[in-house]
Amino acid sequence: RRTRLRKKFFFEGLQKEVIELQRENSVLKDLVRKELPPELSKKLLEESKAMEQLPSAVHEAVGENATDMNSQDFSLVRSIQSSQQCFIITDPSLQDNPIVYASDDFLTLTGYERGEVLGRNCRFLQGTETSPQKVEQVRKAISLGEDTTVTFINYTKDGTAFWNKLFIAALRDAQNNIVNFIGVIAKVASPDQGDPEAGKRVPGEESTPSNGDEDETAEFEVDGGEDAS
């Protein structure tokens, strides 16, 4: 029993180190792209295979998670990946259930770099107009390991508010233990009818813009949301 516990803590520590390495690696790659001449940066990035060269035992321990998930959940993740959905995967075994994977579409939608989101809880997308009741609904579903869908206001990196229709599902191993959560994100026009926030406009959104001046006002109000978030 003690051996299993030591192994668990060792793998958790290893996973944290790899997440941090992924973040640093992403930051360094961004610097190379921005600061070096294109030909040189391309050559360096092509030769940069630090993550790929990690021993297979490390990948298995920190989980590409294929061997940890049951076949149904693994098929779900593969299906979402192949359909190029906007999604994240979190690890509840780590402190604060941080993001350990973010799809390219998620980064495009939110405006964040991968190194800015890995290792963080996804609450950084929340802001002043995010419904506390719906946040509590998400928190409760995660604590119970239940699937849930909620539509609430989230914010991109530049402070732009949008309606996020979020679907969360628990991913389990063969013993039915939760190993990860997956969150699939869709930007929608508004919540469905019957939702308590149906008809509510996101900050900065004009109901019936009729000229360029009103559009500029809406844009200004969205920009102002950055400080509020």
Side-chain angles (χ1 to χ4, degrees):
R1 186 183 185 90
R2 289 180 180 176
T3 300
R4 288 199 300 271
L5 286 174
R6 284 198 296 268
K7 185 177 181 181
K8 179 179 184 294
F9 289 133
F10 169 74
F11 284 153
E12 286 182 353
L14 181 60
Q15 188 169 35
K16 291 176 184 177
E17 293 294 331
V18 171
I19 290 173
E20 186 60 31
L21 177 60
Q22 289 174 325
R23 294 181 65 175
E24 292 178 359
N25 194 38
S26 177
V27 171
L28 288 173
K29 285 183 176 181
D30 285 339
L31 285 174
V32 168
R33 292 188 188 96
K34 293 175 182 177
E35 303 298 334
L36 297 181
E39 291 185 3
L40 179 57
S41 64
K42 181 179 179 182
K43 183 174 183 296
L44 287 174
L45 291 173
E46 287 175 350
E47 294 174 353
S48 175
K49 301 185 182 297
M51 300 308 300
E52 292 87 340
Q53 292 174 354
L54 286 173
S56 59
V58 173
H59 286 294
E60 292 172 4
V62 301
E64 291 296 308
N65 290 323
T67 56
D68 292 337
M69 294 180 198
N70 65 33
S71 58
Q72 186 176 359
D73 285 341
F74 182 61
S75 297
L76 170 65
V77 173
R78 284 298 188 212
S79 175
I80 292 172
Q81 283 180 320
S82 62
S83 62
Q84 296 183 327
Q85 291 283 348
C86 179
F87 72 101
I88 55 173
I89 294 177
T90 68
D91 188 343
S93 72
L94 298 177
Q95 184 177 4
D96 208 23
N97 192 22
I99 297 170
V100 294
Y101 179 85
S103 71
D104 290 341
D105 284 346
F106 172 84
L107 302 177
T108 300
L109 172 62
T110 63
Y112 288 92
E113 299 290 337
R114 184 165 279 107
E116 295 177 304
V117 304
L118 293 180
R120 298 177 65 185
N121 184 284
C122 57
R123 71 173 65 89
F124 64 84
L125 295 174
Q126 299 172 18
T128 55
E129 291 298 317
T130 305
S131 166
Q133 292 78 18
K134 292 179 177 179
V135 171
E136 176 61 20
Q137 177 184 333
V138 171
R139 188 204 64 78
K140 184 176 180 180
I142 290 174
S143 68
L144 297 175
E146 298 176 346
D147 297 354
T148 191
T149 300
V150 63
T151 302
F152 55 5
I153 292 175
N154 276 174
Y155 295 80
T156 64
K157 183 179 178 179
D158 67 3
T160 302
F162 68 98
W163 285 111
N164 175 13
K165 187 168 187 177
L166 173 67
F167 167 70
I168 295 176
L171 305 177
R172 301 174 183 271
D173 61 16
Q175 287 74 45
N176 205 38
N177 299 310
I178 296 174
V179 292
N180 293 100
F181 285 95
I182 185 166
V184 182
I185 295 159
K187 182 179 179 180
V188 296
S190 63
D192 296 331
Q193 290 298 320
D195 186 288
E197 294 186 292
K200 177 179 177 179
R201 297 194 299 273
V202 296
E205 181 183 42
E206 292 290 338
S207 56
T208 53
S210 58
N211 56 52
D213 292 336
E214 291 191 12
D215 287 340
E216 288 177 6
T217 302
E219 182 177 345
F220 175 79
E221 290 176 357
V222 170
D223 290 341
E226 183 173 5
D227 292 337
S229 66

